[in-house]
Amino acid sequence: MTRKYFSIYHRKVHLWFVLATLYFFGAALFLIPGYTPFVHEGDNIFTVYLNGEEVGIVDSKQEAEHCLLEARRSIASTSSELIYMRSELSYEGQEVLWGETDPAEQITERMIAVLDTVREKSLERCYTMRVRDCIVTLSTKDEILALLTAALERYDSEGRFLVRLVPDPQREVSVFTAEVVRTEEHQNSIEREESQKSMPLAGIEIVLSDALAEAAPVEVMDFEDYPLGLVDISYGEKIEVVESYMPENRIMTLEQAQSTVLKDKDEKQIYEVVAGDTLSEIAEKYGLTTAGLVALNPMFASDTAMIRIGDELTVTVPKPELSVLHTSQEYLEQEYTEPTVYIDNDSWYVGTTRELQEGTVGHRRVIALVSYQGDTWVGQDIVKEEVDAVAQPRIVERGTKAKPTYIWPVSGGYISSGFGGRNAPKAGASTYHKGVDIAVSTGTAVMASSAGTVTIAGWQSGYGYVVYINHADGRQTRYGHLSRILVSPGQYVEQGQKIALSGNTGNSTGPHLHFEIRIGGEAVNPVNYLTY
């Protein structure tokens, strides 16, 4: 009995001893200075990939970037030329309690091996030019200038102008743009600078020189005195040129760049049809076949389709990436017309016209500054003009008064009987319906469809109670089968004013409004004239 008791007691003492020991060591951990319990803080070890290939394991991304820098330095030290290497780092991170990383030297060596596989030839110094969305790269600045000069030479065969690259004032970085100057002015500027360096003008001499230039008499010139030919030229698009470094295989030849930048490409534009135009003439004007023009404008069924003034057609215009704007002084003999002179008549409606004088075509000789974009005429400014036959303007009197509008004469309702021939619905009714029947209940408000003067308001056989209104444009509206009339003959009513209540009087088969519009006494389908 006693032995069993001590055995149980012994086991209890042993258990308490183990628990006390664990508690003691746990408490001691928290009491140790600098101890920090484990907290989840995210990825703390990373597998590194260079250009998609695994190169090692590190404990921070900064270490991988440092290894890449050392690898690039090692490769660069093998050559005095610039070397292009594609290098993209990516990572797979994980959070661990214990982990093993690779030595930095080993990772750097692996990176060098990967970079050697994507190492390209030494980069060449070159010049990149951008025009709109077109980019070309040439070896030298002289080739850029040769490309730009080639664009001008198409219209400046005599070399009156030259192009030079100057810093772009709108850009903070080192970007150049193209400037076109007269060859003669450029040479004079150089000579003047050299002359001023050797013997600069005194202040008073400069003032006197400018004063004499301003005081020179204005010479009256005849047609033969005007120099003809190119007077101004520039580029139609903004040009940007930057110095850059590229692999040799990315640099174009001058011929390739000219083909890219200067070759005409078809560009779609909108052409508005004017008086006298035909499809064939428009097609010829833009270097198209009539069938080609129709293909660009599927709204036309064939090349014989009718076109109207104001129609907008899609055409194609040959245009290079880099276009040239140029102006020439030209001697022209041409027929001309004067703009039409309009005399407004406030008592006439818009659309009413009367020709007071027929226009005539004149003839003149002119010296004009004619502007082009590429080969397309843009406009002209006349410098000198001599008229041989004076053109007479066409003089037209036209109305300015807004035409009356016509609205649906009731609120709601629907057409129960349309305009025109019909089977007579009731004895005595016409088989040709001169208006429309609008189904509404008796007592519905009837409004004036347009402003005008009431001429009839009373009973009329067939119509029952009826109202006639004459309008300023010569038209007349009629409202029949009314139950009550609210206006009197001679009264002026505004558009939308209540004039009556609908009903079922006269020769009618049920409650409705009979509504007519008459022009010159003849009934027309009112639906065609309503603005609703």
Side-chain angles (χ1 to χ4, degrees):
M1 187 70 175
T2 303
R3 186 177 296 171
K4 181 179 181 182
Y5 168 80
F6 279 109
S7 176
I8 294 173
Y9 175 77
H10 176 75
R11 286 196 296 270
K12 288 183 177 180
V13 171
H14 180 72
L15 178 60
W16 279 106
F17 176 78
V18 172
L19 292 174
T21 302
L22 292 175
Y23 175 79
F24 172 78
F25 280 108
L29 286 174
F30 286 96
L31 296 175
I32 294 173
Y35 169 78
T36 302
F38 176 74
V39 178
H40 290 282
E41 295 183 350
D43 297 340
N44 56 12
I45 193 169
F46 302 89
T47 301
V48 184
Y49 298 87
L50 176 59
N51 296 339
E53 294 190 33
E54 183 178 342
V55 291
I57 299 174
V58 296
D59 58 9
S60 71
K61 293 182 180 180
Q62 290 78 9
E63 183 179 354
E65 292 169 359
H66 177 74
C67 290
L68 177 60
L69 179 61
E70 290 299 320
R72 293 181 67 89
R73 284 175 176 169
S74 176
I75 294 176
S77 66
T78 63
S79 173
S80 60
E81 301 289 340
L82 289 172
I83 300 173
Y84 175 77
M85 293 172 287
R86 181 174 61 87
S87 54
E88 297 177 4
L89 287 176
S90 57
Y91 307 91
E92 284 184 3
Q94 56 180 322
E95 185 181 29
V96 298
L97 289 175
W98 293 278
E100 184 177 355
T101 60
D102 295 320
E105 296 79 5
Q106 181 178 323
I107 294 175
T108 302
E109 289 301 321
R110 292 174 182 171
M111 286 183 171
I112 291 172
V114 173
L115 291 176
D116 271 334
T117 64
V118 294
R119 176 176 174 174
E120 294 191 9
K121 291 183 178 180
S122 299
L123 297 183
E124 301 289 339
R125 182 181 179 184
C126 54
Y127 291 84
T128 298
M129 183 179 81
R130 179 189 181 101
V131 181
R132 295 194 291 181
D133 294 328
C134 178
I135 298 175
V136 296
T137 300
L138 292 168
S139 296
T140 65
K141 188 183 292 186
D142 287 341
E143 287 188 331
I144 293 288
L145 289 171
L147 172 61
L148 294 172
T149 301
L152 300 182
E153 287 177 342
R154 183 173 177 180
Y155 309 101
D156 180 24
S157 58
E158 298 178 0
R160 297 184 181 185
F161 294 83
L162 59 83
V163 59
R164 59 190 182 189
L165 295 179
V166 296
D168 188 342
Q170 299 178 352
R171 301 292 295 272
E172 295 181 0
V173 296
S174 300
V175 178
F176 296 92
T177 190
E179 179 182 69
V180 180
V181 295
R182 288 181 175 274
T183 304
E184 182 180 355
E185 290 179 2
H186 178 68
Q187 187 61 37
N188 290 342
S189 175
I190 295 174
E191 293 174 358
R192 187 162 50 250
E193 288 177 2
E194 293 177 351
S195 174
Q196 288 176 353
K197 288 178 183 178
S198 59
M199 191 173 59
L201 286 174
I204 186 62
E205 291 177 297
I206 296 174
V207 173
L208 290 175
S209 177
D210 292 342
L212 290 173
E214 292 178 1
V218 177
E219 184 180 355
V220 178
M221 300 174 66
D222 203 351
F223 284 98
E224 295 77 12
D225 299 326
Y226 285 89
L228 304 182
L230 185 68
V231 296
D232 190 29
I233 193 168
S234 62
Y235 298 107
E237 288 76 31
K238 182 174 178 60
I239 296 169
E240 295 178 328
V241 178
V242 295
E243 183 179 343
S244 57
Y245 288 85
M246 290 284 184
E248 186 179 358
N249 59 359
R250 298 191 185 185
I251 300 175
M252 292 181 172
T253 65
L254 179 57
E255 292 73 19
Q256 289 172 330
Q258 288 177 338
S259 177
T260 301
V261 176
L262 305 183
K263 186 177 180 181
D264 285 339
K265 300 175 180 64
D266 287 339
E267 183 175 277
K268 289 185 178 180
Q269 290 185 3
I270 299 299
Y271 174 80
E272 184 174 334
V273 175
V274 298
D277 274 343
T278 64
L279 284 176
S280 59
E281 289 173 346
I282 296 171
E284 183 179 358
K285 180 177 181 179
Y286 288 94
L288 301 168
T289 63
T290 307
L293 180 61
V294 170
L296 287 170
N297 297 272
M299 73 282 271
F300 299 121
S302 68
D303 57 8
T304 59
M306 296 292 294
I307 56 175
R308 296 176 176 82
I309 296 173
D311 283 349
E312 292 187 345
L313 308 185
T314 298
V315 296
T316 56
V317 178
K319 185 178 178 182
E321 295 288 350
L322 178 61
S323 62
V324 175
L325 307 176
H326 53 105
T327 301
S328 296
Q329 188 157 267
E330 301 177 10
Y331 170 77
L332 303 170
E333 293 192 18
Q334 54 188 207
E335 293 183 340
Y336 76 100
T337 57
E338 292 289 348
T340 300
V341 176
Y342 291 99
I343 299 175
D344 293 337
N345 187 327
D346 297 336
S347 64
W348 290 0
Y349 289 110
V350 172
T352 303
T353 61
R354 180 178 65 178
E355 186 175 75
L356 303 179
Q357 174 178 295
E358 184 178 353
T360 61
V361 177
H363 185 272
R364 65 187 177 189
R365 299 189 301 149
V366 300
I367 297 293
L369 294 173
V370 186
S371 299
Y372 302 87
Q373 181 169 12
D375 297 326
T376 303
W377 183 89
V378 175
Q380 70 176 28
D381 291 322
I382 294 177
V383 177
K384 181 179 177 63
E385 177 183 37
E386 187 175 286
V387 177
D388 301 323
V390 178
Q392 297 297 325
R394 179 173 178 253
I395 302 177
V396 176
E397 187 176 11
R398 64 182 180 184
T400 60
K401 188 177 179 182
K403 289 183 178 180
T405 58
Y406 292 81
I407 62 174
W408 187 255
V410 293
S411 296
Y414 63 91
I415 296 177
S416 57
S417 180
F419 179 84
R422 64 174 180 175
N423 294 324
K426 183 179 179 181
S430 173
T431 57
Y432 188 84
H433 200 201
K434 296 182 179 181
V436 295
D437 290 342
I438 303 173
V440 288
S441 59
T442 298
T444 300
V446 177
M447 296 162 288
S449 181
S450 187
T453 302
V454 177
T455 57
I456 295 177
W459 183 270
Q460 196 172 89
S461 177
Y463 282 110
Y465 288 110
V466 67
V467 172
Y468 289 9
I469 300 176
N470 286 350
H471 305 283
D473 59 355
R475 298 174 184 176
Q476 183 186 76
T477 52
R478 297 183 181 186
Y479 312 80
H481 307 309
L482 307 171
S483 63
R484 185 180 175 188
I485 295 174
L486 305 176
V487 292
S488 304
Q491 179 180 345
Y492 183 82
V493 293
E494 299 290 347
Q495 185 181 59
Q497 181 177 333
K498 187 192 293 186
I499 60 172
L501 301 178
S502 66
N504 189 28
T505 60
N507 195 357
S508 172
T509 58
H512 70 279
L513 171 69
H514 174 83
F515 176 61
E516 293 181 19
I517 293 180
R518 295 190 174 225
I519 300 177
E522 296 294 326
V524 297
N525 188 347
V527 173
N528 296 335
Y529 298 86
L530 296 179
T531 56
Y532 290 86

